[in-house]
Amino acid sequence: MTSIKVGEEKLYEWTADYAGVWMYHCGTAPTLHHIMNGMYGMVIVEPKEGLPPVDREFALVQSEWYLGPQGRTTSMVKASIAAPAPDFLVFNGVANQYKDHPLEVPTGGKVRVFVLNAGPNIDSSFHVVGTIFNTVIKEGVRLDAGNVGNYGAQAVDLAPAQGAIIEFTTAEDGMYPLVTHAFNFVSRGALGFFKAGDGDPKK
Amino acid sequence: MTSIKVGEEKLYEWTADYAGVWMYHCGTAPTLHHIMNGMYGMVIVEPKEGLPPVDREFALVQSEWYLGPQGRTTSMVKASIAAPAPDFLVFNGVANQYKDHPLEVPTGGKVRVFVLNAGPNIDSSFHVVGTIFNTVIKEGVRLDAGNVGNYGAQAVDLAPAQGAIIEFTTAEDGMYPLVTHAFNFVSRGALGFFKAGDGDPKK
Amino acid sequence: MTSIKVGEEKLYEWTADYAGVWMYHCGTAPTLHHIMNGMYGMVIVEPKEGLPPVDREFALVQSEWYLGPQGRTTSMVKASIAAPAPDFLVFNGVANQYKDHPLEVPTGGKVRVFVLNAGPNIDSSFHVVGTIFNTVIKEGVRLDAGNVGNYGAQAVDLAPAQGAIIEFTTAEDGMYPLVTHAFNFVSRGALGFFKAGDGDPKK
């Protein structure tokens, strides 16, 4: 790692040797300060032979916001405590954005989600209410569709800096909430919806 | 999902497509309020061909209680904070019940436990002191007895809404504590015992 | 389990049936008090046929210190709360020791680390900045080098009392930080370095 000054430019070139859902972020000390201000991103590396085709793909990054006082940006003090209380815990940076603007999926279609927990501090228990994940590849460890016994998964635990590829299918039209199933955080912005079909479940 | 009013009745019919240890709970907002009051349960779905026979099977659900003021039930405020302090963290709803009434197992027999962490907020590190799990199926990902290298497991990490099937054998008569190995919670009710044989270790 | 009095001596003999990275600790109540004072250790059990040869092996135990008032040792009160704030979160007992004295590895060589999270309370997201783990055996569940798709891992989530065997290679000379990627804890002592070659990245 090298440092970069204001106005400078540096080019990183690298070979994607390993498949997975990766987090990148700058490492200038204090690293926490950079991550908590959004200086990170997700890199998706598919296997050389590609992933099987699906009907829709999404990329979701869970992260935390620790707001500073009025007129300032973020609070390093709030983010540094051992049991931190993020003001918001969000998907793709904005609280409840997929509650306001649901992610549309075709009913019965295969949906793939690349999920990353950027943290910087809080674990995720990623869950989509009303679905079962038939495929989960978390940090390379796999649950494959059609496994012996036909086991599925209901939640994926992601520590900060862990990523996963998950797949599911919606059985019928409806609104399927996406949350972290650590429910004390859901009201802090960690709520969205997948809208299958017209969103109206058949009676 | 649909809502149900007081006095109404609704029937859910569904096909158990995927094997696993599942959590069910109502989703009426605020969901946290329902889960924290015990409105949840465990569904066990075995593979179509069944699980191998064992000598004893148990079902254990870890969950949290956030008590309200005297004369009230629970406290939504206490359960909603980012770093919540449950008054009790328990197995099957009651603090220390299997400390007072140990779960009896035959010494040398195969024991299977279906474990669910219902949360709503706190992770579990499920552990049975004095044993090693030779089988763990956590959210479909497997450690099988007799694997190459003969690896075992000492603890199973379960985020809220995650479940696992675990198996172990007690080597001799004795009292084997079951805990979450996050030891700050053990004194809040997350302690029980498996009693093998007469509970008295051979001297 | 049996008790032992001051001045007494007891000998435990046991057969290592299962491979893995194990935590041992005394179980005299309150167990938390013993673990928080450092009364624990790591046991490494390799498969009967051994592990493949590597260039360097290390053993790292993550744990927490809860300091008592001046002149005393540790604080049971601080360690017992639901959302504890350890004064230090460390590798092998001493804050930042591998920041001050980096762990030396040969550039391009295979490095194996046996990692244990002794807790007693806090989860780990073990990560080595600048590397990708091509092998992870966490509580017996495996990501193997050369797996189908060539997936790798960037972080290993370890609940208290969980262990893992990880392997990686450094691509070039440099200083590679080792951390728990729950970044609110990094400034509490959970920072070290692997020094590859002379530690100076090629320009």
Side-chain angles (χ1 to χ4, degrees):
Chain A
M1 295 190 292
T2 60
S3 291
I4 181 167
K5 297 211 182 85
V6 173
E8 277 187 350
E9 187 173 299
K10 279 190 183 170
L11 182 67
Y12 273 83
E13 289 189 90
W14 52 286
T15 306
D17 289 322
Y18 293 98
V21 175
W22 307 99
M23 179 179 178
Y24 70 86
H25 60 84
C26 54
T28 305
T31 303
L32 172 59
H33 194 245
H34 293 248
I35 298 178
M36 65 181 278
N37 280 286
M39 299 285 281
Y40 55 78
M42 172 199 269
V43 175
I44 298 168
V45 180
E46 297 199 11
K48 194 175 281 185
E49 61 277 16
L51 288 166
V54 291
D55 295 290
R56 289 297 306 274
E57 282 189 338
F58 300 94
L60 293 174
V61 180
Q62 179 179 311
S63 68
E64 305 138 32
W65 288 115
Y66 299 91
L67 303 183
Q70 190 68 22
R72 304 291 293 278
T73 56
T74 56
S75 167
M76 183 75 172
V77 171
K78 286 163 69 175
S80 300
I81 66 173
D87 296 283
F88 297 109
L89 193 146
V90 302
F91 296 111
N92 290 349
V94 179
N96 297 325
Q97 65 175 313
Y98 305 119
K99 183 183 171 196
D100 301 332
H101 305 283
L103 301 166
E104 300 191 7
V105 299
T107 299
K110 291 184 181 179
V111 180
R112 177 179 291 137
V113 188
F114 301 96
V115 192
L116 175 72
N117 181 9
N121 301 324
I122 309 287
D123 289 345
S124 179
S125 180
F126 187 78
H127 175 70
V128 180
V129 184
T131 74
I132 288 176
F133 306 149
N134 62 17
T135 300
V136 177
I137 307 174
K138 173 194 163 183
E139 295 289 313
V141 172
R142 312 177 64 102
L143 172 70
D144 287 309
N147 60 79
V148 175
N150 206 37
Y151 285 87
Q154 66 203 303
V156 180
D157 53 318
L158 297 174
Q162 288 194 307
I165 303 170
I166 66 163
E167 295 176 17
F168 64 89
T169 297
T170 53
E172 54 180 51
D173 286 5
M175 302 296 284
Y176 296 79
L178 74 104
V179 296
T180 172
H181 214 291
F183 255 92
N184 53 331
F185 290 113
V186 173
S187 66
R188 291 165 197 259
L191 176 61
F193 287 101
F194 287 98
K195 178 182 175 182
D198 66 3
D200 188 19
K202 284 154 186 74
K203 301 301 179 312
Chain B
M1 294 190 291
T2 61
S3 290
I4 181 167
K5 295 207 182 89
V6 174
E8 277 187 348
E9 187 173 298
K10 278 188 182 171
L11 183 66
Y12 273 82
E13 288 189 272
W14 52 285
T15 305
D17 289 323
Y18 293 98
V21 175
W22 307 97
M23 181 180 178
Y24 70 87
H25 61 83
C26 53
T28 306
T31 304
L32 173 58
H33 195 246
H34 293 248
I35 298 177
M36 66 180 279
N37 280 285
M39 299 286 281
Y40 56 78
M42 172 200 269
V43 174
I44 298 168
V45 180
E46 297 198 11
K48 194 175 278 183
E49 60 278 14
L51 289 166
V54 291
D55 295 290
R56 291 296 306 274
E57 283 188 339
F58 300 94
L60 293 173
V61 180
Q62 179 179 311
S63 68
E64 305 137 32
W65 288 115
Y66 299 90
L67 303 184
Q70 190 68 22
R72 304 291 294 277
T73 55
T74 55
S75 168
M76 182 75 171
V77 170
K78 284 161 69 175
S80 300
I81 65 173
D87 296 283
F88 297 109
L89 193 145
V90 302
F91 296 111
N92 292 350
V94 179
N96 296 325
Q97 64 175 313
Y98 305 119
K99 183 184 172 197
D100 300 331
H101 305 284
L103 301 166
E104 299 190 8
V105 299
T107 299
K110 290 184 181 180
V111 180
R112 176 180 292 138
V113 189
F114 302 97
V115 192
L116 175 72
N117 181 10
N121 301 324
I122 309 286
D123 289 346
S124 180
S125 180
F126 187 78
H127 175 69
V128 181
V129 183
T131 74
I132 288 175
F133 306 149
N134 61 18
T135 301
V136 176
I137 307 174
K138 173 194 163 183
E139 295 288 314
V141 173
R142 313 177 65 102
L143 171 71
D144 287 309
N147 60 79
V148 175
N150 206 36
Y151 285 87
Q154 66 203 304
V156 179
D157 53 319
L158 297 173
Q162 288 194 308
I165 302 170
I166 67 161
E167 294 176 17
F168 64 89
T169 297
T170 53
E172 54 180 50
D173 287 4
M175 303 297 285
Y176 295 79
L178 73 104
V179 296
T180 171
H181 214 291
F183 255 93
N184 52 333
F185 291 113
V186 173
S187 66
R188 291 165 197 257
L191 177 60
F193 288 100
F194 286 98
K195 179 183 175 182
D198 66 3
D200 188 20
K202 285 157 185 73
K203 303 301 182 312
Chain C
M1 294 189 294
T2 61
S3 290
I4 182 167
K5 296 208 182 88
V6 173
E8 277 188 348
E9 188 173 299
K10 280 188 181 170
L11 183 67
Y12 274 81
E13 289 189 89
W14 52 285
T15 306
D17 289 324
Y18 294 98
V21 175
W22 307 98
M23 179 179 178
Y24 71 87
H25 61 84
C26 54
T28 305
T31 304
L32 172 58
H33 195 245
H34 293 249
I35 297 177
M36 66 181 279
N37 279 287
M39 300 284 281
Y40 56 77
M42 172 199 267
V43 175
I44 298 168
V45 180
E46 298 199 11
K48 193 175 282 185
E49 59 277 15
L51 288 166
V54 291
D55 295 289
R56 291 296 306 272
E57 283 188 337
F58 300 93
L60 293 175
V61 180
Q62 178 179 311
S63 68
E64 305 138 31
W65 287 115
Y66 300 91
L67 302 184
Q70 189 68 21
R72 305 290 294 275
T73 55
T74 56
S75 167
M76 182 77 172
V77 170
K78 284 161 70 175
S80 302
I81 67 173
D87 297 283
F88 298 108
L89 194 145
V90 302
F91 295 111
N92 291 349
V94 179
N96 297 325
Q97 65 175 312
Y98 305 118
K99 183 183 171 196
D100 300 331
H101 305 284
L103 300 166
E104 299 191 7
V105 299
T107 298
K110 291 184 182 179
V111 180
R112 176 179 293 137
V113 188
F114 302 96
V115 191
L116 175 72
N117 181 9
N121 301 325
I122 309 287
D123 290 346
S124 179
S125 181
F126 187 78
H127 175 70
V128 180
V129 183
T131 74
I132 288 176
F133 306 149
N134 61 17
T135 300
V136 176
I137 307 175
K138 173 194 164 184
E139 296 288 313
V141 173
R142 312 175 65 100
L143 172 70
D144 286 309
N147 61 80
V148 175
N150 206 35
Y151 285 87
Q154 66 202 303
V156 180
D157 52 320
L158 297 173
Q162 288 194 307
I165 302 170
I166 66 163
E167 294 176 18
F168 64 89
T169 296
T170 53
E172 54 180 50
D173 287 5
M175 302 297 284
Y176 296 79
L178 73 105
V179 296
T180 172
H181 214 293
F183 255 94
N184 52 333
F185 291 113
V186 173
S187 65
R188 290 165 198 259
L191 177 60
F193 287 100
F194 287 98
K195 178 182 175 182
D198 66 2
D200 188 20
K202 283 155 186 73
K203 301 301 181 312

